[in-house]
Amino acid sequence: MVFLTYWFVANRNLRQQNILLLLASYVFYGWWDYRFLLLLVSITIINYLVGIWIDSDNNHKRRKILLIFDLIINIGVLCIFKYFNFFVDSFIDFLSIIGYTLPKSTTQIILPLGISFYTFLSLSYIIDIYKKNLQANRNPVEVLLSLSFFPIILAGPIQRPSSLLPQIAQKRYFNYDKAVDGIRQILWGLFVKVAVADNLAPEVDKIFQNYADFNSSTLFLGIVFYTIQIYSDFSGYSNIAIGTAKLFGFNLMQNFAYPYFSRDITEFWKRWHISLTTWFRDYVFLPISFSISYRMRNGNIFGIKRDHLIYISASIITWFLTGLWHGPSYSFILWGLINGFFLIIYHLQLKQRKKLFKKFGINNNNIIIVCVETFITLCIIMLCWIFFRADNIQEALFYIDGMLTRSFFSLPELMPVKAIFFSVIFIFSEWIQREKEFALQIDRVSLPALRWLIYIGCICLILFLGGGNQKFIYFQF
Amino acid sequence: MRTDLRRFLGKCLLFGVLMVLLISLLFKISDFAIKQKMPQFFKISNDINIVFAGDSNVECSINDSIVKGSLNIAQSGEAYLYSYVKLRELLDCNKQIKTVFIGFSFHEILKEKEDLLLFQDSYIIEKIKLYNYLLNKTEKGLIFKNNHLAYLKGFLQSIFNNVVVFAKSCASTDSRSILVDFGGYLYLYGNKLKEDIRLQENTKQESSGKSPEKGLQQEKYLKMISQLCRQKSVRLILLNTPKHSYYSNRITKEIKDNWLSVRNSLPQDSLMELSSFPLSDSCYYDITHLNCIGANLFSKYLNEQIYFDKTDALEKDGD
């Protein structure tokens, strides 16, 4: 309905197009819970106003105060809604360790959908203006739309206003090829979400909830399934969001670039949830690195090279925050830190590795080396996912312990045919289409009838064999 | 731009129409095919003359390899409507069946349970997927009227399920291997009794305030099962399977009164009230389900009772 109104009724001028999209975004968000719509509108209006104030003020001190004020508002709201219970419970736990016992907090704050995503959009808007990378837009509709555009509001991609605003400020014209590509991307997103992720979800839940009852190979199968599930679930949503935006004439950034085919952990994080990792790189990692480097003297410190020390410190802080961004729990924080640890290890061994390869005359692109490294990277990622999926750290450790027994070499106790079938189809399609933006981009199939057959096949698999009603995993963040 | 837009919408429309036609065609073919094969795969061994139907309580309690000449077709989350349509088909194709046991636990007749089993998304999708071909227009209408989206989802999934059942029936003549999703004894290993009791304790306050209401559809279809059995000259026995004392103690007088009033409306059928059947904690998986140890003991007991025909005596004890 919005699509038809957008192109048939509101296509006369830019203002109409933007107003319609803003209204659609608010209706879409308010549909989940109208109370949180007020929060979204308030935050975006505050950011709009602060953006103008910072931009129009030349006094550095005042600009800084305004920036800090805005950061407090945005991060404060995020902390209250997302981390309040966690901080209070952690504080009570800490007090109990030193001998003071307080009753557990009974206040449970409901998490507004997509709060982490739109807070990050707002933060990047204000920081970019402060750094003079972006001029504050005076048009309220355009700014509010860039901070609450409905395809990206719930679970990203975190499309920064600096790249979205110029598109919003220009009138969109219908483009047939773009619309076809968009609808194809939506179809692929639906396929990986409904047919792949939702069929894997019950198996993963069964294994993780009863991990003590299963043998090692089943637990291993469980984590393999979860590795595919979380990717298909989240990339599915991203594809739907990007495809929907294309239907309205927008280009959003690619959020996943076949991450499981990465050779090393650094490459993985360049291909996984790209919008979030680049956000953390630009607004946390690099500023921290620069800040530390200004304060640190040259030479070795505690026997560690200065550059390495800067990298290690910035990585630890960034990955601690990345873990915390995903949720208020110690297991997420540990998941982030483990990823940071492997990234540091990878960074530290790079030079030695190069020397070693040169010494023994090993070609870096040797197929065996590539395969072994890809496999090791995948194992590391799967290990990390155990902490991400488990309810707490203790459970994750028990899960790993349960996985490392002799029964690892026996047959799994579960063999869900449907889940395995869809996993294989998914991985295979991703592999053969890895040069494309998404796997269903089948322009090179010249026969239109064959292309339609593939689309019909996808829809039939979704309709006839799709899994149950499962929420998107990343909606909780 | 307009031409492009029209071309795009035209193609989308054409694609949509094609999809609807294709789905309708696939449904018609699969439905026709499965109905042709139904008498064949619903015909079970002539040695089987006892059938156990119901929900997960019966599914986990009766090991039909222990009870001589019996078949367990009970399935988790099964409302009486689905038990009815399964029995209707099974009794039609198997004149040798003389006794039907139907699960009749205290909670089974509650409105709360009915809303869950009959009208909740996940249950509808799963059951319609499996049993759509067994339902008539009225039965389909009932579900569709209450939750049309879930029904449609289940309906679409039933197409593939029909194809699978049909393919199996072409490859095999053994009804047990064809009707793998038709229910059957569920072997539960382990014991989660303590965890379940802890969970119940935590939710105690939430559930205690509600006054129990009778589920009208559940009652209606239970009566229809009774009627069906009478028409086919089959003896129907209402079976209240063993429950842990924690569960029994929490059954309120109102729930029991509801249960009794339904039972009393079926005077021609027997009742086996075995909810307080003496079993140790190690025999339970949770407070309402037996694990394999409990199922073994209970099935042996039932086997003896059936073949010494003491069911009437038991009913008196229970009442």
Side-chain angles (χ1 to χ4, degrees):
Chain A
M1 219 166 73
V2 176
F3 176 81
L4 293 177
T5 320
Y6 182 78
W7 290 120
F8 280 106
V9 182
N11 70 331
R12 274 178 227 123
N13 62 51
L14 175 67
R15 200 178 150 75
Q16 282 183 357
Q17 282 188 332
N18 287 341
I19 288 175
L20 178 75
L21 282 184
L22 184 63
L23 287 176
S25 300
Y26 285 164
V27 170
F28 178 75
Y29 191 76
W31 205 268
W32 303 92
D33 196 325
Y34 67 91
R35 291 167 301 177
F36 294 136
L37 178 62
L38 285 177
L39 181 74
L40 172 72
V41 175
S42 317
I43 285 183
T44 47
I45 288 176
I46 290 172
N47 282 293
Y48 164 72
L49 294 173
V50 174
I52 292 173
W53 290 335
I54 292 178
D55 195 42
S56 53
D57 203 325
N58 288 322
N59 183 309
H60 182 69
K61 211 174 171 185
R62 271 203 303 269
R63 283 165 62 89
K64 202 166 192 171
I65 290 169
L66 281 169
L67 173 74
I68 292 168
F69 164 75
D70 192 80
L71 293 182
I72 290 171
I73 296 275
N74 282 304
I75 299 171
V77 167
L78 185 65
C79 283
I80 288 169
F81 282 97
K82 194 165 176 175
Y83 302 108
F84 178 81
N85 296 323
F86 174 66
F87 288 143
V88 170
D89 289 344
S90 300
F91 182 66
I92 292 169
D93 287 343
F94 172 72
L95 285 183
S96 73
I97 292 170
I98 55 170
Y100 295 95
T101 313
L102 284 176
K104 283 264 177 193
S105 159
T106 50
T107 315
Q108 288 298 319
I109 295 173
I110 306 165
L111 183 70
L113 272 171
I115 189 166
S116 311
F117 291 92
Y118 65 72
T119 306
F120 270 39
L121 286 174
S122 305
L123 286 175
S124 61
Y125 176 67
I126 292 299
I127 296 170
D128 282 353
I129 292 172
Y130 175 78
K131 283 182 169 176
K132 297 192 173 170
N133 293 336
L134 179 73
Q135 266 201 327
N137 190 319
R138 260 63 178 175
N139 185 329
V141 176
E142 288 178 7
V143 177
L144 297 191
L145 179 59
S146 75
L147 299 180
S148 38
F149 186 38
F150 74 90
I152 60 172
I153 189 77
L154 296 180
I158 306 168
Q159 185 79 23
R160 296 189 212 166
S162 53
S163 66
L164 191 60
L165 265 171
Q167 296 184 59
I168 291 175
Q170 263 186 354
K171 190 173 183 298
R172 275 83 58 187
Y173 295 97
F174 183 80
N175 180 311
Y176 178 82
D177 293 330
K178 200 181 200 175
V180 170
D181 203 43
I183 214 146
R184 228 171 8 202
Q185 195 160 4
I186 294 173
L187 177 59
W188 181 246
L190 281 172
F191 174 77
V192 294
K193 165 65 185 154
V194 181
V196 184
D198 289 358
N199 273 312
L200 287 168
E203 308 303 332
V204 172
D205 291 348
K206 202 187 294 171
I207 296 172
F208 269 84
Q209 279 160 15
N210 306 293
Y211 64 90
D213 301 338
F214 290 116
N215 66 7
S216 299
S217 53
T218 315
L219 297 188
F220 181 71
L221 187 72
I223 193 58
V224 170
F225 278 167
Y226 185 65
T227 304
I228 300 168
Q229 186 208 346
I230 189 163
Y231 173 46
S232 48
D233 190 283
F234 194 20
S235 71
Y237 181 83
S238 292
N239 277 320
I240 294 170
I242 298 167
T244 309
K246 276 182 187 168
L247 287 180
F248 292 94
F250 291 92
N251 289 317
L252 299 185
M253 68 187 293
Q254 192 179 4
N255 213 15
F256 291 88
Y258 309 99
Y260 290 148
F261 304 136
S262 307
R263 255 183 92 167
D264 55 66
I265 187 109
T266 314
E267 192 186 339
F268 173 79
W269 279 108
K270 280 178 185 163
R271 291 164 161 226
W272 177 275
H273 203 175
I274 300 165
S275 62
L276 180 76
T277 43
T278 49
W279 196 99
F280 270 106
R281 183 197 63 202
D282 294 346
Y283 297 106
V284 181
F285 182 82
L286 291 177
I288 290 173
S289 301
F290 289 135
S291 171
I292 296 172
S293 68
Y294 288 143
R295 287 169 176 77
M296 207 175 262
R297 61 184 168 82
N298 284 330
N300 291 1
I301 299 159
F302 305 123
I304 304 171
K305 278 184 187 166
R306 181 178 176 270
D307 288 353
H308 285 165
L309 205 64
I310 292 169
Y311 182 83
I312 292 168
S313 324
S315 291
I316 290 172
I317 296 169
T318 307
W319 285 97
F320 170 81
L321 291 173
T322 307
L324 195 63
W325 179 89
H326 280 85
S329 97
Y330 293 113
S331 51
F332 283 131
I333 294 172
L334 186 61
W335 167 80
L337 290 174
I338 292 171
N339 273 293
F341 169 76
F342 281 117
L343 280 161
I344 291 167
I345 296 287
Y346 178 77
H347 184 80
L348 296 181
Q349 58 84 49
L350 260 180
K351 266 190 182 168
Q352 272 70 25
R353 181 179 174 275
K354 232 180 198 173
K355 275 184 196 167
L356 204 73
F357 274 33
K358 207 174 174 185
K359 193 178 170 186
F360 291 103
I362 302 169
N363 180 2
N364 194 35
N365 292 325
N366 181 307
I367 185 76
I368 300 168
I369 301 279
V370 172
C371 289
V372 170
E373 285 185 348
T374 307
F375 178 73
I376 292 171
T377 306
L378 200 58
C379 289
I380 290 170
I381 293 157
M382 288 201 293
L383 177 79
C384 295
W385 285 141
I386 297 176
F387 289 92
F388 197 87
R389 173 61 180 79
D391 288 340
N392 50 55
I393 295 172
Q394 195 189 25
E395 210 179 284
L397 293 174
F398 281 139
Y399 193 96
I400 295 169
D401 186 45
M403 220 163 66
L404 304 173
T405 68
R406 272 188 191 176
S407 60
F408 186 86
F409 300 101
S410 58
L411 278 176
E413 290 165 89
L414 293 177
M415 269 295 167
V417 180
K418 209 157 80 165
I420 293 170
F421 168 74
F422 279 115
S423 302
V424 171
I425 288 192
F426 178 53
I427 295 166
F428 181 70
S429 320
E430 290 257 303
W431 174 252
I432 54 168
Q433 289 287 87
R434 65 191 182 282
E435 301 299 330
K436 301 276 180 182
E437 191 191 340
F438 58 95
L440 202 61
Q441 219 166 33
I442 45 171
D443 316 69
R444 64 178 167 195
V445 179
S446 49
L447 265 178
L450 188 61
R451 280 205 301 265
W452 277 43
L453 212 64
I454 295 171
Y455 304 148
I456 288 173
C458 277
I459 294 177
C460 285
L461 287 174
I462 293 170
L463 295 177
F464 301 157
L465 291 171
N469 287 352
Q470 303 281 340
K471 278 185 183 163
F472 285 99
I473 296 175
Y474 262 68
F475 275 13
Q476 63 181 301
F477 305 135
Chain B
M1 188 190 94
R2 283 268 162 147
T3 335
D4 272 355
L5 188 56
R6 288 216 173 90
R7 184 157 69 107
F8 177 75
L9 290 174
K11 281 202 174 181
C12 285
L13 195 70
L14 178 68
F15 189 81
V17 171
L18 256 174
M19 275 312 301
V20 172
L21 286 175
L22 182 77
I23 289 168
S24 312
L25 188 73
L26 282 175
F27 173 70
K28 279 283 166 202
I29 295 172
S30 70
D31 199 50
F32 176 77
I34 204 166
K35 278 182 177 154
Q36 293 298 306
K37 284 273 180 184
M38 251 160 66
Q40 182 196 318
F41 62 72
F42 271 103
K43 179 76 192 115
I44 55 174
S45 162
N46 277 333
D47 302 335
I48 291 169
N49 47 37
I50 301 169
V51 170
F52 290 93
D55 65 2
S56 56
N57 296 131
V58 178
E59 182 189 32
C60 305
S61 304
I62 314 291
N63 184 344
D64 50 4
S65 64
I66 292 175
V67 182
K68 233 167 67 185
S70 74
L71 177 71
N72 187 343
I73 59 162
Q75 197 174 48
S76 308
E78 187 164 292
Y80 282 134
L81 181 145
Y82 301 110
S83 299
Y84 169 71
V85 295
K86 280 158 76 174
L87 285 169
R88 184 169 65 192
E89 213 49 55
L90 210 59
L91 296 182
D92 257 353
C93 302
N94 298 279
K95 306 286 178 216
Q96 80 280 13
I97 295 174
K98 295 288 170 234
T99 312
V100 167
F101 283 83
I102 185 85
F104 187 60
S105 302
F106 296 116
H107 57 261
E108 221 127 358
I109 217 73
L110 296 178
K111 171 94 172 59
E112 198 183 317
K113 191 79 180 170
E114 176 178 296
D115 289 341
L116 185 79
L117 299 184
L118 261 182
F119 305 127
Q120 211 208 40
D121 287 14
S122 54
Y123 287 90
I124 292 181
I125 295 169
E126 190 55 28
K127 298 298 173 192
I128 293 295
K129 177 180 107 181
L130 296 175
Y131 304 126
N132 190 48
Y133 65 97
L134 294 175
L135 302 176
N136 64 25
K137 272 185 186 164
T138 325
E139 291 143 8
K140 284 176 189 171
L142 171 74
I143 312 278
F144 184 79
K145 207 172 73 189
N146 281 284
N147 191 340
H148 49 275
L149 272 178
Y151 176 82
L152 280 176
K153 212 169 171 189
F155 162 80
L156 289 166
Q157 298 205 352
S158 75
I159 297 174
F160 183 76
N161 183 67
N162 290 357
V163 175
V164 172
V165 176
F166 176 75
K168 277 183 188 167
S169 67
C170 290
S172 164
T173 49
D174 176 24
S175 58
R176 279 200 197 225
S177 62
I178 299 165
L179 298 172
V180 279
D181 291 326
F182 204 67
Y185 169 58
L186 181 67
Y187 181 94
L188 281 182
Y189 182 78
N191 185 319
K192 299 210 164 171
L193 192 62
K194 276 184 190 164
E195 288 166 44
D196 194 29
I197 290 175
R198 209 178 307 131
L199 195 77
Q200 299 292 331
E201 284 293 326
N202 291 339
T203 53
K204 208 173 185 175
Q205 278 184 325
E206 288 168 34
S207 55
S208 57
K210 293 172 189 167
S211 64
E213 228 179 294
K214 217 189 279 182
L216 297 177
Q217 295 300 332
Q218 281 288 80
E219 189 180 2
K220 177 184 159 189
Y221 280 98
L222 180 62
K223 285 179 178 167
M224 283 173 77
I225 292 172
S226 166
Q227 216 175 335
L228 174 76
C229 288
R230 242 177 301 141
Q231 279 168 8
K232 304 275 178 193
S233 308
V234 170
R235 183 182 186 194
L236 179 69
I237 300 173
L238 308 171
L239 174 66
N240 196 356
T241 52
K243 311 284 184 309
H244 190 263
S245 55
Y246 182 86
Y247 166 86
S248 307
N249 295 340
R250 289 184 71 192
I251 295 296
T252 59
K253 190 181 171 301
E254 289 94 337
I255 295 176
K256 268 194 180 159
D257 289 346
N258 263 340
W259 180 82
L260 263 179
S261 77
V262 176
R263 192 273 164 275
N264 291 336
S265 66
L266 302 165
Q268 64 286 354
D269 303 314
S270 312
L271 169 74
M272 283 183 97
E273 209 305 64
L274 296 171
S275 62
S276 44
F277 184 76
L279 285 171
S280 66
D281 282 2
S282 63
C283 295
Y284 288 93
Y285 181 77
D286 58 29
I287 58 170
T288 52
H289 300 102
L290 298 182
N291 61 18
C292 54
I293 305 166
N296 266 13
L297 288 172
F298 183 63
S299 302
K300 277 178 191 163
Y301 170 80
L302 215 57
N303 187 51
E304 279 175 30
Q305 293 303 312
I306 291 167
Y307 289 99
F308 287 100
D309 198 20
K310 288 183 180 173
T311 48
D312 289 337
L314 271 163
E315 181 176 16
K316 276 171 203 160
D317 290 345
D319 284 339

